[in-house]
Amino acid sequence: MHIKDKINLDYDGLVENGPITIVAFGDSVTHGALASGEINYETVFWNLLKQKINAKRSYVPVNVINAGIGGITAFASLDRMDKHVFAHNPDLVIVCFGLNDVNRELEEYLSSLRIIFQKCIDFGTDVIFMTPNMLNTYVAEDTAEIHKEYAATTAAYQNDGKMDLYMKSAVELAKEMGVSVADCYLKWKELSKTTDTTKLLANRVNHPIKEMHELFANSLFEIIFKDDDEVKQKTSGTMYDAN
């Protein structure tokens, strides 16, 4: 049963099918990381998504499993799928990797995503691939000293097109496999035409500020309820939406 159908369960349906369960499977952004050493589970995108779903209809409980781990890649996450994802019998898996994968080979990233997507499809759960935010485009003066060397590397990845290539390739793979895509990276790229997106990164490298998690949550909500005209009206035109 899809979430868009499950949300309308009545008492008997809830007894038979249980609450909505979502697993957010990703890296530090999914984990809840903000500035260096700061993690916030209240403002992270999956918690905002949970609130949006319950605001649509409060009767059906929504449980979100945070399966994000800071610093991890898609490849390093393959062996943890059974116990971190499928053990929870999810109705939806949100997959968001790329920020760390860009340090490694493109083929490893794509082959790992292919395995993740296929395992979700075989399990029978809905799956959304959410592309992450942009990296920094320069080394900001207020970047923590410990991160400045890496910030120079990530800025090069962003400016020389490497991050663009990884995201474009990943989106193409997801669409090829019939996986829904919440292309938040594309929205960040549009935003970068008029906004200094490095200042929208809490650590000035790769962790979005709290407010930018709203863009992620809106994008996911729109995908889940894409045929609902009321949802389209409610989620359009927010401060950080680049339409």
Side-chain angles (χ1 to χ4, degrees):
M1 181 178 290
H2 300 291
I3 288 179
K4 64 180 181 177
D5 303 316
K6 201 169 186 180
I7 195 174
N8 292 314
L9 293 175
D10 57 12
Y11 173 84
D12 292 333
L14 191 57
V15 170
E16 180 179 354
N17 297 283
I20 292 170
T21 300
I22 299 171
V23 173
F25 190 48
D27 51 35
S28 55
V29 174
T30 301
H31 193 156
L34 294 168
S36 182
E38 179 186 6
I39 293 179
N40 191 316
Y41 299 121
E42 297 300 315
T43 58
V44 67
F45 70 84
W46 48 259
N47 193 37
L48 300 180
L49 174 64
K50 173 182 176 179
Q51 294 172 33
K52 290 176 185 295
I53 295 174
N54 275 143
K56 181 174 173 63
R57 188 166 188 264
S58 60
Y59 180 70
V60 180
V62 179
N63 298 319
V64 181
I65 307 300
N66 181 4
I69 299 177
I72 207 163
T73 63
F75 177 74
S77 297
L78 296 178
D79 290 340
R80 65 188 184 98
M81 290 194 73
D82 287 342
K83 56 185 177 181
H84 290 189
V85 179
F86 300 127
H88 303 288
N89 194 30
D91 299 296
L92 169 66
V93 178
I94 300 166
V95 177
C96 185
F97 292 99
L99 296 175
N100 301 312
D101 305 81
V102 73
N103 292 299
R104 301 174 67 87
E105 295 298 322
L106 176 60
E107 184 51 43
E108 178 188 280
Y109 176 49
L110 295 179
S111 62
S112 299
L113 285 180
R114 183 180 293 277
I115 293 170
I116 291 170
F117 295 155
Q118 191 61 57
K119 283 190 172 185
C120 290
I121 292 168
D122 292 344
F123 188 82
T125 184
D126 287 344
V127 55
I128 298 175
F129 174 53
M130 187 180 82
T131 54
N133 47 275
M134 288 174 57
L135 300 167
N136 58 306
T137 57
Y138 61 91
V139 180
E141 290 184 4
D142 58 348
T143 305
E145 197 64 36
I146 193 173
H147 296 315
K148 283 189 175 179
E149 183 176 353
Y150 184 57
T153 299
T154 50
Y157 288 160
Q158 188 63 63
N159 295 328
D160 69 9
K162 186 176 183 181
M163 191 64 177
D164 288 353
L165 173 62
Y166 275 53
M167 293 302 102
K168 178 176 181 292
S169 302
V171 168
E172 289 174 351
L173 171 64
K175 291 181 177 179
E176 170 194 317
M177 297 183 69
V179 171
S180 297
V181 178
D183 199 350
C184 296
Y185 183 78
L186 181 61
K187 292 184 177 183
W188 276 73
K189 291 287 290 186
E190 287 297 314
L191 194 59
S192 71
K193 295 176 181 178
T194 57
T195 303
D196 182 350
T197 51
T198 297
K199 291 184 178 179
L200 299 180
L201 300 172
N203 64 348
R204 299 295 190 260
V205 180
N206 53 12
H207 297 161
I209 60 174
K210 297 174 183 178
E211 292 82 357
M212 289 305 294
H213 280 264
E214 184 80 17
L215 182 151
F216 293 143
N218 280 347
S219 299
L220 292 165
F221 192 70
E222 289 168 1
I223 291 291
I224 295 169
F225 301 105
K226 61 184 176 182
D227 299 321
D228 190 321
D229 289 336
E230 181 182 354
V231 167
K232 292 177 184 177
Q233 293 173 6
K234 285 184 177 180
T235 58
S236 63
T238 56
M239 180 176 180
Y240 293 110
D241 278 337
N243 298 315

